[in-house]
């Protein structure tokens, strides 16, 4: 027997001996040099991979292998340890983490208890396992295997399908149930066996078997279970609905006894906006990201106008396809169909299966965040400013989606500085007719048409001109009042920038650019013009403000 016959339990025994003896004594006792490139990593500790396998042979046959009896490279020891489910530094790729819902329906809890916790007696399913039996017996010498299976995904674009294809030996799996992580395990072997799956678990309500099977090792049951919500919220998820690959950097500490300590940060509004600015990082083409932005705006419009979060593939394809045809010149209906699935790459989108029918929409956390008018306004601005520059009719696009009020902070209110417009009239003392000044006329007259931000007084051929800008837009969605306390006298340039979230007033009345917080002016106040500071704070909340660079950095 050679190094390739060494079993997982033999390696574990050699690791224990290594820990007891210490590195130097272990290597000296068996005549091994220190590993230079490929290092076994187990429970956070590093081991000399060739020495471990050579000594593990002792626990298989009674005699350790000497260093000159076999090669310790990637294709030999490294590959064998990886196939046994161990992590080896220097191999092709590090182990990944997958999230696996235990499931409530179709006997999920019972299956987990029977085949992961207790294990499957291989002899009872020997005939159904067929050619897979010998490999499983080698992994589980006691004849009891820890097995789990997944039903085939109904749609190739679904994240579950991608995750199933990405699995490999050595990857870790976190089992999830009832907002908690209940166990973890390492994948020792992957195989598809419909007959064995039916023999072990039967079939689900749609008649599908759990044929995508995994043999598991190092199963650790969390008692008590770990609260999964902080970690999931940190990546923008509310729950785990299907088998999926965890994003890079996902962290759960099963050894932490204090569940209230060191919780991951909650997925924030800024996280959402960052995702919308970036969209799918795998999608480099500008036109592809533009179409993703259009699709997400359509979904926001559905949320606002129809209170609808989840969308069938057909409704999505028709709704988004019509927008792409009219505003992006994209007639191919397959583009909208692909977006339905590929938007999952943005990390704000989820595709779920309901009675074998796919439904898509914003994921749990993002949908909650988008319930706020302020967050929706910022989200729409982020998509417009970064991805819709090539669409000249972007405000018309928003109006068609029922989002016209989000195009500007002033909503649909007009610029109110035209002194030639007929004034509203009211009766006074019976037959007397008196002129009533509008809010616009009052504000622009108080400031003598001089911009409150930059002091510009614009001279035209018919006199001076300025515009009254509402701070908080009238009507939906901002619901601001038509009152002098909610208006400013601005020049057309400052009005356009203020109305489109480009500049804001800080808490010290300094006017700053939103994209870098650079000072561009100062709000000039008038003793007879009482501005409601609450409206200024509201406008500021709508702007995505980038702090200035740290000069000490």
């Amino acid at each position: 027997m050679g190094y390739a016959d060494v079993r997982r339990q033999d390696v574990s025994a050699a690791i224990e001996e290594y820990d007891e003896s210490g590195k130097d004594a272990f290597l000296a006792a068996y005549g091994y040099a220190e590993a230079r490139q490929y290092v076994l990593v187990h429970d956070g500790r590093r081991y000399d991979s060739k020495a471990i396998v050579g000594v593990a042979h002792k626990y298989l046959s009674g005699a350790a292998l000497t260093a000159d009896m076999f090669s310790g490279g990637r294709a030999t020891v490294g590959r064998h340890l990886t196939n046994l489910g161990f992590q080896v530094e220097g191999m092709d790729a590090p182990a990944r983490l997958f999230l696996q819902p235990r499931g409530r329906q179709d006997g999920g809890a019972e299956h987990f208890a029977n085949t992961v916790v207790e294990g499957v007696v291989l002899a009872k399913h020997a005939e159904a396992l067929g050619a897979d039996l010998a490999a499983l017996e080698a992994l589980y010498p006691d004849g009891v295997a820890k097995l789990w299976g997944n039903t085939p995904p109904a749609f190739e674009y679904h994240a579950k399908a991608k995750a199933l294809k990405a699995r490999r030996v050595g990857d870790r799996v976190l089992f999830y149930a009832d907002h908690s992580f209940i166990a973890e395990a390492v994948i020792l072997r992957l195989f598809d066996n419909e007959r064995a799956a039916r023999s072990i678990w039967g079939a689900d309500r749609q008649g599908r078997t759990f044929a995508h099977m995994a043999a598991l090792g190092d199963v650790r049951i969390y008692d008590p279970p770990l609260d999964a919500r902080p970690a999931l919220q940190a990546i923008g998820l509310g729950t785990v609905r299907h088998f999926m690959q965890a994003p890079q950097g996902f962290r759960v500490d099963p050894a932490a006894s204090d569940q209230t300590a060191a919780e991951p940060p909650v997925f924030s509004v800024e996280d959402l906006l960052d995702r919308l600015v970036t969209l799918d990082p795998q999608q480099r083409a500008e036109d592809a990201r533009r179409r993703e932005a259009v699709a997400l705006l359509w979904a926001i419009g559905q949320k606002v106008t129809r209170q609808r979060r989840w969308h069938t593939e057909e409704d999505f394809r028709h709704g988004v396809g019509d927008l792409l045809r009219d505003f992006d010149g994209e007639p191919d209906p397959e583009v909208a169909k692909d977006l339905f699935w590929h938007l999952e790459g943005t990390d704000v989108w989820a595709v779920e299966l309901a009675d074998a029918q796919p439904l898509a929409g914003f994921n749990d956390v993002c949908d909650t965040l988008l319930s706020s008018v302020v967050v929706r306004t910022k989200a729409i601005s982020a998509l417009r400013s970064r991805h819709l520059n090539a669409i000249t009719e972007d405000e018309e696009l928003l109006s068609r989606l029922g989002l016209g009020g989000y195009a500007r902070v002033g909503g649909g209110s007009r610029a109110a500085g035209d002194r030639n417009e007929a004034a509203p009239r009211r009766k006074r003392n019976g037959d007397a007719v008196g002129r009533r000044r509008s809010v616009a006329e009052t504000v622009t007259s108080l400031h003598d048409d001089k911009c409150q931000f930059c002091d510009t007084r614009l001279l035209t051929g018919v006199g001076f001109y300025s515009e009254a800008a509402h701070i908080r837009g009238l009507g939906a969605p901002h619901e601001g009042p038509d009152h002098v306390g909610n208006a400013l006298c601005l020049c057309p340039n400052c009005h356009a920038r203020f109305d489109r979230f480009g500049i804001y007033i800080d808490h010290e009345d300094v006017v700053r650019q939103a994209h870098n917080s650079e000072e561009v002016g100062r709000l000039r106040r008038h003793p007879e013009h009482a501005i409601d500071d609450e409206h200024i704070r509201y406008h500021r909340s709508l702007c995505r403000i980038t702090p200035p660079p740290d000069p000490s950095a």
Side-chain angles (χ1 to χ4, degrees):
M1 291 184 289
Y3 78 88
D5 297 306
V6 167
R7 303 161 300 178
R8 184 175 177 84
Q9 61 265 37
D10 303 326
V11 174
S12 297
I15 289 174
E16 290 183 12
E17 182 179 342
Y18 187 109
D19 289 339
E20 291 175 0
S21 302
K23 176 177 179 176
D24 293 339
F26 183 87
L27 295 179
Y30 293 99
Y32 280 91
E34 183 178 359
R36 294 191 300 271
Q37 186 171 1
Y38 302 106
V39 179
L40 170 65
V41 180
H42 183 68
D43 285 344
R45 301 190 64 182
R46 296 158 60 85
Y47 300 86
D48 300 88
S49 57
K50 184 177 180 180
I52 287 291
V53 171
V55 176
H57 193 270
K58 179 179 71 172
Y59 294 94
L60 171 68
S61 67
L65 298 174
T66 60
D68 59 354
M69 295 176 66
F70 67 110
S71 170
R74 174 200 297 229
T76 53
V77 165
R79 184 61 61 196
H80 184 60
L81 286 171
T82 301
N83 289 338
L84 289 177
F86 291 99
Q87 179 183 347
V88 180
E89 283 188 0
M91 296 301 288
D92 296 335
R96 278 90 47 89
L97 179 65
F98 292 84
L99 308 182
Q100 172 68 69
R102 182 203 63 191
R104 292 184 175 181
Q105 300 174 338
D106 302 318
E110 293 80 5
H111 292 334
F112 179 81
N114 294 337
T115 71
V116 175
V117 179
E118 295 184 11
V120 176
V121 178
L122 294 174
K124 291 183 178 180
H125 305 278
E127 184 178 352
L129 284 166
D132 292 309
L133 177 62
L136 292 175
E137 286 179 332
L139 286 174
Y140 306 100
D142 61 355
V144 179
K146 304 299 179 78
L147 301 178
W148 189 255
N150 277 283
T151 56
F155 304 93
E156 61 176 331
Y157 291 123
H158 195 268
K160 177 183 178 181
K162 298 177 182 177
L164 288 171
K165 289 180 180 178
R167 299 174 305 168
R168 62 172 178 265
V169 170
D171 288 335
R172 291 173 56 227
V173 179
L174 272 179
F175 284 89
Y176 171 89
D178 300 324
H179 304 295
S180 300
F181 291 121
I182 60 174
E184 72 167 275
V186 175
I187 297 176
L188 303 183
R189 188 170 186 271
L190 293 167
F191 59 104
D192 291 347
N193 190 325
E194 184 171 353
R195 187 181 178 194
R198 191 177 295 277
S199 175
I200 295 169
W201 297 295
D204 68 4
R205 289 171 299 168
Q206 282 78 44
R208 299 171 300 180
T209 63
F210 303 90
H212 294 304
M213 299 176 65
L216 304 175
D218 285 350
V219 176
R220 301 174 62 187
I221 306 300
Y222 297 152
D223 187 15
L226 302 178
D227 185 357
R229 287 169 291 191
L232 294 178
Q233 289 171 4
I235 61 170
L237 291 180
T239 187
V240 180
R241 288 193 172 89
H242 55 76
F243 183 74
M244 62 176 290
Q245 184 175 345
Q248 188 175 9
F250 184 86
R251 292 288 182 270
V252 175
D253 182 9
S257 57
D258 182 1
Q259 294 297 302
T260 64
E263 290 186 347
V266 175
F267 189 87
S268 67
V269 172
E270 281 304 313
D271 292 327
L272 168 63
L273 299 178
D274 286 340
R275 302 291 200 281
L276 296 180
V277 168
T278 306
L279 291 182
D280 186 350
Q282 303 298 321
Q283 194 65 265
R284 298 183 179 179
E286 184 177 339
D287 57 347
R289 289 197 299 270
R290 182 173 64 251
R291 290 161 192 160
E292 288 179 344
V294 170
L296 292 175
L297 284 173
W298 176 84
I300 294 174
Q302 293 290 299
K303 178 178 177 65
V304 171
T305 62
R306 304 178 68 180
Q307 287 75 54
R308 179 175 295 177
R309 173 187 175 187
W310 296 107
H311 316 286
T312 65
E313 188 175 9
E314 181 179 5
D315 286 346
F316 181 94
R317 187 172 69 249
H318 286 311
V320 174
D322 288 347
L323 292 177
L324 295 179
R325 182 192 63 232
D326 295 344
F327 291 93
D328 195 55
E330 177 51 70
D332 188 352
E334 291 301 311
V335 171
K337 178 181 178 181
D338 289 345
L339 283 170
F340 181 88
W341 299 94
H342 292 166
L343 278 171
E344 280 195 305
T346 64
D347 293 334
V348 303
W349 192 256
V351 181
E352 308 293 350
L353 298 180
D355 296 327
Q357 174 177 263
L359 298 175
F362 286 104
N363 63 39
D364 293 345
V365 174
C366 293
D367 181 71
T368 300
L369 292 175
L370 288 168
S371 298
S372 161
V373 171
V374 171
V375 176
R376 283 201 299 271
T377 304
K378 287 183 173 182
I380 292 167
S381 296
L383 291 169
R384 289 178 67 199
S385 64
R386 181 62 182 84
H387 306 293
L388 299 188
N389 293 325
I391 298 180
T392 56
E393 310 89 352
D394 62 331
E395 290 196 19
E396 180 183 340
L397 168 64
L398 293 182
S399 294
R400 177 159 156 182
L401 293 173
L403 302 175
Y406 295 86
R408 309 179 186 185
V409 73
S413 58
R414 61 177 173 79
D418 190 347
R419 302 292 176 81
N420 296 319
E421 183 179 353
R425 303 176 70 83
R426 63 179 173 86
K427 285 189 176 182
R428 185 191 298 170
N429 297 329
D431 294 333
V433 178
R435 188 176 188 278
R436 183 179 61 192
R437 269 190 171 185
S438 69
V439 167
E441 286 184 307
T442 299
V443 171
T444 54
S445 295
L446 279 173
H447 294 276
D448 201 18
D449 292 311
K450 190 175 183 179
C451 179
Q452 288 183 258
F453 288 175
C454 68
D455 290 335
T456 295
R457 194 165 183 248
L458 186 64
L459 179 62
T460 73
V462 293
F464 291 101
Y465 176 80
S466 64
E467 296 177 352
H470 285 104
I471 305 170
R472 181 171 186 153
L474 307 185
H478 305 299
E479 305 296 347
D482 191 18
H483 186 273
V484 292
N486 186 37
L488 297 171
C489 175
L490 300 179
C491 68
N493 183 46
C494 288
H495 186 187
R497 299 177 70 193
F498 184 78
D499 205 28
R500 291 166 174 80
F501 318 104
I503 55 178
Y504 68 95
I505 306 167
D506 74 7
H507 64 285
E508 295 180 337
D509 282 355
V510 176
V511 181
R512 299 185 181 277
Q513 295 187 131
H515 73 276
N516 62 5
S517 294
E518 180 181 330
E519 181 177 343
V520 294
R522 180 172 289 273
L523 174 64
R524 188 188 67 254
R525 294 183 182 257
H526 189 285
E528 297 180 37
H529 179 196
I531 301 171
D532 189 334
D533 288 334
E534 180 60 35
H535 299 319
I536 291 179
R537 285 192 291 271
Y538 179 80
H539 174 275
R540 189 163 61 235
S541 74
L542 299 179
C543 300
R544 192 183 186 201
I545 299 170
T546 302
D550 184 355
S552 63

